[in-house]
Amino acid sequence: MKTVAVVLLIFCFGLSTVENTKCYECRQSNAQSCEGKEVDCPKGSSCMTISTKTGLNHTYYAIQKRCSMNMKCNHSMYAYASGDVYFDLSIDCCEGDLCNSGGVIIKNTTYDYNGPECPVCSSVDSLDICEAVSTTVCRNKTDYCNYFTGHLERPDGVKTQFTARGCMSETSCSYDFSQIVGLKVSDVKAGCKGYKHNPKPNPEPEN
């Protein structure tokens, strides 16, 4: 009887180890890849890659690899004021040992530009909301006009005050900025849902 119990324990232990996944873990600012160390993830966890692409009159990339644990997998978010001032974040998960071995992954790079028309502007060294100098049509119908102010540390380490107005994806509206890689923000004030926006100009007639 004792022999049977020992065999069952060994069998159960073997099953539990099989369920654990090995993933790469690392974090790198101002880079498109990082050398990850191998870690054992909790049961039920996937391997995750968090990628960011930021435009602040220069393009910055940053990447983090980790176990997904309880974080939401496979989604993206963005905000932008112009072609030179923007932020894109993609969270990608995969199944299997060490599957998160690649570099930066930026998803959803093509858009319909059928969203609301929003005022846009951006400035540094100020926390006052900037005055709009033009407008832009947002990428998707579910986007919102937004404003953002806060202290900003760029991936290259330069710190400044920052303010911007433009478009923001619906997922970004409820984002707490905790998953941003490389771009550190603090003292954030932002408006999104509930911030009045105008429909796209000259909408196509419905059939």
Side-chain angles (χ1 to χ4, degrees):
M1 192 70 180
K2 288 183 179 180
T3 302
V4 173
V6 170
V7 170
L8 287 174
L9 284 172
I10 294 173
F11 178 73
C12 291
F13 178 77
L15 285 179
S16 65
T17 57
V18 169
E19 292 176 2
N20 285 72
T21 300
K22 289 183 180 295
C23 297
Y24 287 114
E25 183 179 80
C26 60
R27 184 184 180 102
Q28 186 67 51
S29 299
N30 208 13
Q32 296 193 51
S33 62
C34 60
E35 295 296 327
K37 64 178 182 179
E38 296 182 14
V39 296
D40 288 318
C41 297
K43 295 177 185 177
S45 182
S46 302
C47 295
M48 173 177 282
T49 300
I50 304 174
S51 308
T52 60
K53 180 181 179 182
T54 305
L56 292 168
N57 299 317
H58 177 80
T59 300
Y60 300 95
Y61 291 92
I63 184 171
Q64 180 181 11
K65 299 177 184 179
R66 53 166 291 172
C67 307
S68 65
M69 298 170 67
N70 60 345
M71 288 178 62
K72 183 180 178 181
C73 282
N74 301 321
H75 68 290
S76 60
M77 56 195 73
Y78 55 82
Y80 62 95
S82 68
D84 294 324
V85 180
Y86 59 85
F87 171 76
D88 282 275
L89 180 146
S90 292
I91 298 177
D92 184 75
C93 290
C94 59
E95 303 294 334
D97 285 343
L98 306 178
C99 62
N100 61 337
S101 59
V104 162
I105 304 168
I106 300 297
K107 293 187 172 182
N108 300 329
T109 56
T110 58
Y111 305 95
D112 295 327
Y113 290 96
N114 58 359
E117 183 183 21
C118 297
V120 295
C121 61
S122 62
S123 65
V124 295
D125 300 323
S126 174
L127 292 179
D128 295 328
I129 298 174
C130 55
E131 292 292 330
V133 295
S134 62
T135 61
T136 188
V137 176
C138 295
R139 295 174 177 177
N140 293 301
K141 290 180 179 179
T142 54
D143 290 352
Y144 289 87
C145 298
N146 78 89
Y147 67 87
F148 175 96
T149 70
H151 289 92
L152 178 73
E153 181 178 341
R154 300 185 329 206
D156 59 5
V158 175
K159 299 179 181 179
T160 185
Q161 295 174 326
F162 180 74
T163 178
R165 295 171 67 183
C167 296
M168 184 177 281
S169 63
E170 187 174 23
T171 49
S172 296
C173 288
S174 57
Y175 186 56
D176 63 3
F177 303 101
S178 63
Q179 296 169 17
I180 291 179
V181 182
L183 192 69
K184 297 180 181 179
V185 293
S186 60
D187 304 319
V188 173
K189 293 182 181 179
C192 196
K193 291 184 178 180
Y195 180 63
K196 186 176 177 63
H197 62 261
N198 300 316
K200 179 181 176 180
N202 302 319
E204 295 181 3
E206 296 183 0
N207 294 329

